[in-house]
Amino acid sequence: MILNFATRVRPLVLGLFIITQSSFSAFALPTPVDQITGLLNTIEGSYGPMPHKESYLQWKWENYKADTIKKAKDIKNSQEFYQLAVQTLGGLKDAHVSAILPSSLVAKLPVQFVYVQNKVLLGFIGQSAISMGCLAEPGDELLSFNNQPLSELLKTRIANHSVGNQGADLALNTLGLSSLSESRGQFGFSNLKGQFAKVSFKSAKTGQTLDCALPWAIGGDGLISRPLQNKSNVQDFFNTEVKAYLSHHPKEQSLQSSSFLLNNKKFKKYEDLIEKINQFASLSATAVTHQYQSDVGLPIPGLNQDKGVKIPLGSPVAHYPLPADFKPIQMRWGLGMLLHDNLNAGTFTHNGKTVGYLRLGSYVPSQILLSIFGLRHIIGQLEAQTDYLIIDQTFNVGGYVIYSDFLVSSLTGDYDDSKHMRFAFKPSQKSLQSARLVKQTMDQTLAAAQDADKQWYLNNERLQKAIKASEEDFALLSDAYQKGLELSVPIRLYPLTVMLEEILSHDVGQTIIGKALDWLAKSPVSKPATYTHPVYFVINELDFSAGDATPAILQDYGRVKLIGSTTAGAGGSVGRFSLSMGEPLDFTLTESLMIRSNGQLVENFGVKPDIQFAVTAKDIEENYANYWSRLVEEINKDLLQTTK
């Protein structure tokens, strides 16, 4: 789908971002209608993909809003309020949109299911299930769950927990069969206590039906339900002074910053800048994937009978065995764990060639500022040692836009303005204020850089070009807000990364820190490194956000061959919002739309591979023993054809 960004006047909607309970001490508690209306107003004022969703989902927002408010009038308690809030957000069918409820209640089964070749297969079974006599093996097909046919169960789950992309819906909801989290808007825990899940499998080896009773492990504290009143004089107040006040005083999002290794003011300012950029345009989908990232099952001391392979989203560790001659790329004294702990890299041989390997589980290194040097080290070593490179970013949960840009420039040499991703923002008060904070912090950083080395600053053509581009795009966002446009003209984010790269590299290169990093890494990491050989980039339906954006950008550059299956389609940047009137509610919304160089959207559609490659039932049965060799052979075929 290609979105037309012709001028459309958006309605003047005053979103209810946040207000403390003490502010309403003179008023009655807000009703469920007040609270749901606040949620709807925030969505209307800040949700970027709204024009696309109305077309893609074939519904009218005004009708959806009216139906939701009608349902809110029947709410009797806080539990029902949260259920409707979750349902309201879920109706947007967006991988970035999620409710975050005040609950730590979770329930898990000692198994994990995977969706493979139009079937739900057992991918992992834990020791607690095996010790209770369950004979199912990895690769066995799931037939029913609690006496409900699987097709009906998945249909119901997808209707309630859809991200708007068929492949991602099937994969995520299959993983979710064995894991429930009330914090993420899943309910029904009262029916699970002391219960077992009755599941039936079809054996892959014998074809026989196997019945198992799997124990639910439940932990954490759940929501406390209380009655809610439906009469209040607060709504009239909202319709006048409070709405006007809130529209001009949006809540500032607070992001925790990880402690930086170097206790130095010069470097702390960069960390602050990165924090502001991530607040403005985060490409992380952890809101929707968080519940699937932890281990499953109940541990039994002294036993190690697990079978199969668990798929934890966002892990830098491969879920398949690497070749026997695989040699990891390391740094002195284990410094690599600090500089690139979100990835794993190395080399192996195949058909007489040295092949590079880079496993990228997320775009969220623990030390984002130092990660640029870690990535340079990895790329420099791979460039020197290998004939071609395979990057595996399957099951990627996204992360920092600047880290995505770091990787792109490491593979392309520099950014191409005509081919790079752009973002069309919802021009809300929140997005505009976040942009202003980025600009203010960047201006301070640039001023300090100019004072320190004016000649370098003024003569750096790449830096000056990025400054000009960034100023132009911030002006476009401000102009869109002033004109009341529904979406801004698509703007660039990579110039922010360019400015950070140039200033940081210059600062580090002028200090003992740069020399120390070069010595520790045994390579000049204080200077950019570029990989120039062929690159194959592995993707799948559980790659989100930056995991959508990065392969899309590299495909549009013509730099990589994508191999695998279509990504999840979490196609925008995400922001966090809060409503604390009455029942507290945190939630995330997509604030922009990714726009590819040809005008196509990523939201819901994902990124399609150049070469189709899928996990098979046999891979599951064999614990992925031959998965990697199959993948490399498929890549080798393409290499031979390309060479000819």
Side-chain angles (χ1 to χ4, degrees):
M1 175 183 179
I2 298 179
L3 195 66
N4 182 5
F5 285 93
T7 300
R8 291 178 60 189
V9 178
R10 62 177 171 83
L12 182 59
V13 178
L14 304 176
L16 307 179
F17 287 92
I18 183 167
I19 192 161
T20 61
Q21 189 65 52
S22 59
S23 302
F24 282 95
S25 58
F27 299 92
L29 288 173
T31 70
V33 173
D34 296 330
Q35 297 175 75
I36 292 297
T37 299
L39 174 61
L40 291 166
N41 285 344
T42 304
I43 294 172
E44 190 167 354
S46 299
Y47 186 59
M50 187 66 78
H52 158 65
K53 293 295 180 175
E54 289 192 327
S55 171
Y56 183 78
L57 298 176
Q58 298 290 301
W59 57 232
K60 294 291 184 182
W61 167 250
E62 290 301 325
N63 295 340
Y64 186 78
K65 183 177 178 180
D67 290 343
T68 303
I69 292 175
K70 183 178 179 180
K71 294 175 183 176
K73 294 177 181 178
D74 296 327
I75 291 176
K76 299 180 181 63
N77 55 55
S78 54
Q79 187 86 7
E80 292 180 0
F81 161 75
Y82 285 122
Q83 289 175 344
L84 182 57
V86 169
Q87 179 184 334
T88 302
L89 292 165
L92 298 176
K93 299 188 184 306
D94 188 323
H96 276 139
V97 174
S98 177
I100 308 166
L101 308 186
S103 170
S104 60
L105 186 60
V106 294
K108 296 180 181 180
L109 293 174
V111 293
Q112 190 182 68
F113 302 111
V114 290
Y115 193 84
V116 176
Q117 295 178 313
N118 298 318
K119 295 179 180 179
V120 175
L121 305 181
L122 180 64
F124 168 84
I125 181 167
Q127 51 200 17
S128 59
I130 296 171
S131 66
M132 295 185 66
C134 184
L135 301 178
E137 300 275 345
D140 290 351
E141 181 183 0
L142 181 63
L143 300 177
S144 66
F145 193 98
N146 283 340
N147 300 320
Q148 186 176 6
L150 192 60
S151 58
E152 293 181 11
L153 180 60
L154 281 180
K155 184 177 180 180
T156 301
R157 284 186 60 86
I158 290 174
N160 296 323
H161 302 282
S162 172
V163 298
N165 176 293
Q166 185 180 27
D169 279 340
L170 289 168
L172 265 180
N173 282 284
T174 294
L175 279 178
L177 290 174
S178 57
S179 175
L180 295 174
S181 169
E182 193 173 59
S183 173
R184 300 298 169 186
Q186 296 168 320
F187 304 100
F189 288 82
S190 59
N191 300 324
L192 299 179
K193 194 170 184 180
Q195 298 296 313
F196 293 81
K198 299 176 182 178
V199 295
S200 294
F201 297 96
K202 179 181 178 181
S203 172
K205 295 179 180 178
T206 67
Q208 294 180 326
T209 299
L210 303 172
D211 295 322
C212 295
L214 304 176
W216 283 102
I218 304 177
D221 298 316
L223 296 171
I224 299 175
S225 183
R226 64 185 181 85
L228 297 179
Q229 56 184 339
N230 279 305
K231 291 184 178 181
S232 167
N233 62 351
V234 73
Q235 189 158 0
D236 291 338
F237 188 76
F238 271 121
N239 290 334
T240 53
E241 288 84 4
V242 175
K243 275 191 177 180
Y245 176 84
L246 290 176
S247 69
H248 294 91
H249 297 78
K251 177 195 174 188
E252 283 299 319
Q253 182 183 2
S254 176
L255 296 177
Q256 275 194 328
S257 173
S258 59
S259 59
F260 182 45
L261 175 68
L262 306 170
N263 186 20
N264 185 304
K265 290 183 179 180
K266 176 178 284 189
F267 293 95
K268 282 185 178 295
K269 68 183 180 184
Y270 297 131
E271 200 175 47
D272 182 50
L273 175 59
I274 291 171
E275 187 176 304
K276 294 295 192 301
I277 294 173
N278 194 52
Q279 178 181 348
F280 173 53
S282 172
L283 297 184
S284 175
T286 51
V288 75
T289 59
H290 172 78
Q291 60 183 297
Y292 307 110
Q293 289 181 269
S294 55
D295 289 341
V296 298
L298 289 165
I300 298 180
L303 295 178
N304 187 19
Q305 299 176 357
D306 294 350
K307 295 181 180 180
V309 176
K310 288 183 285 189
I311 304 294
L313 300 186
S315 172
V317 180
H319 60 283
Y320 44 82
L322 292 169
D325 65 340
F326 177 78
K327 297 178 182 178
I329 293 176
Q330 297 177 334
M331 299 180 76
R332 294 184 182 183
W333 301 333
L335 190 64
M337 285 302 295
L338 178 64
L339 298 191
H340 45 73
D341 59 349
N342 61 313
L343 55 83
N344 181 30
T347 64
F348 63 95
T349 57
H350 183 78
N351 286 354
K353 293 183 180 295
T354 302
V355 184
Y357 171 80
L358 180 61
R359 166 66 191 153
L360 192 65
S362 77
Y363 293 84
V364 190
S366 63
Q367 291 287 350
I368 178 62
L369 189 55
L370 290 179
S371 67
I372 182 175
F373 305 112
L375 190 58
R376 285 175 177 178
H377 167 67
I378 292 292
I379 294 298
Q381 294 297 311
L382 291 171
E383 169 69 9
Q385 299 177 30
T386 65
D387 298 299
Y388 65 94
L389 172 63
I390 302 174
I391 299 177
D392 175 16
Q393 71 135 52
T394 53
F395 308 106
N396 190 293
V397 298
Y400 292 97
V401 64
I402 58 173
Y403 192 84
S404 170
D405 285 339
F406 288 163
L407 181 63
V408 169
S409 64
S410 295
L411 300 178
T412 62
D414 205 351
Y415 306 103
D416 187 329
D417 191 74
S418 67
K419 297 177 181 177
H420 210 82
M421 183 81 74
R422 281 169 157 77
F423 293 78
F425 277 86
K426 179 78 171 182
S428 65
Q429 276 278 2
K430 181 177 182 295
S431 63
L432 196 62
Q433 182 70 1
S434 295
R436 286 171 177 165
L437 286 172
V438 171
K439 188 177 186 307
Q440 178 183 348
T441 308
M442 181 63 80
D443 287 346
Q444 293 170 353
T445 305
L446 291 170
Q450 185 174 4
D451 291 342
D453 194 337
K454 187 173 183 178
Q455 185 175 0
W456 167 84
Y457 178 88
L458 295 176
N459 293 334
N460 188 314
E461 185 178 343
R462 187 170 184 255
L463 174 62
Q464 294 301 320
K465 187 177 178 180
I467 293 172
K468 182 180 178 182
S470 181
E471 289 176 346
E472 291 172 351
D473 285 349
F474 280 138
L476 288 173
L477 182 59
S478 179
D479 183 64
Y481 182 80
Q482 292 172 5
K483 291 180 178 178
L485 302 185
E486 199 157 34
L487 284 172
S488 72
V489 173
I491 66 175
R492 299 157 290 189
L493 296 179
Y494 78 85
L496 297 172
T497 306
V498 172
M499 288 186 276
L500 181 65
E501 283 179 328
E502 288 297 313
I503 298 174
L504 180 60
S505 296
H506 179 69
D507 271 4
V508 169
Q510 302 299 310
T511 66
I512 190 65
I513 297 172
K515 295 178 181 178
L517 284 172
D518 290 348
W519 180 80
L520 287 168
K522 303 180 185 178
S523 61
V525 299
S526 58
K527 297 179 181 180
T530 305
Y531 190 82
T532 62
H533 309 296
V535 180
Y536 288 83
F537 204 97
V538 191
I539 57 176
N540 74 356
E541 62 276 4
L542 291 178
D543 290 335
F544 296 89
S545 204
D548 286 290
T550 310
I553 295 168
L554 290 168
Q555 188 180 56
D556 290 347
Y557 273 59
R559 179 62 186 94
V560 304
K561 284 281 187 75
L562 301 183
I563 180 169
S565 54
T566 302
T567 62
S573 59
V574 62
R576 184 160 178 164
F577 297 79
S578 295
L579 291 176
S580 58
M581 311 156 11
E583 303 305 311
L585 176 66
D586 291 337
F587 55 100
T588 55
L589 291 175
T590 306
E591 297 183 282
S592 67
L593 278 172
M594 296 177 187
I595 314 295
R596 299 182 68 168
S597 60
N598 61 2
Q600 290 184 338
L601 300 182
V602 175
E603 178 69 21
N604 294 127
F605 299 109
V607 183
K608 295 181 179 179
D610 301 301
I611 305 169
Q612 291 284 342
F613 183 83
V615 174
T616 66
K618 191 173 182 181
D619 289 328
I620 307 300
E621 294 175 43
E622 298 175 344
N623 291 340
Y624 298 90
N626 295 304
Y627 166 83
W628 186 249
S629 60
R630 286 198 309 110
L631 178 68
V632 175
E633 279 301 321
E634 198 68 30
I635 290 172
N636 193 57
K637 288 179 187 177
D638 186 77
L639 273 172
L640 291 174
Q641 292 176 356
T642 303
T643 303
K644 291 180 181 179

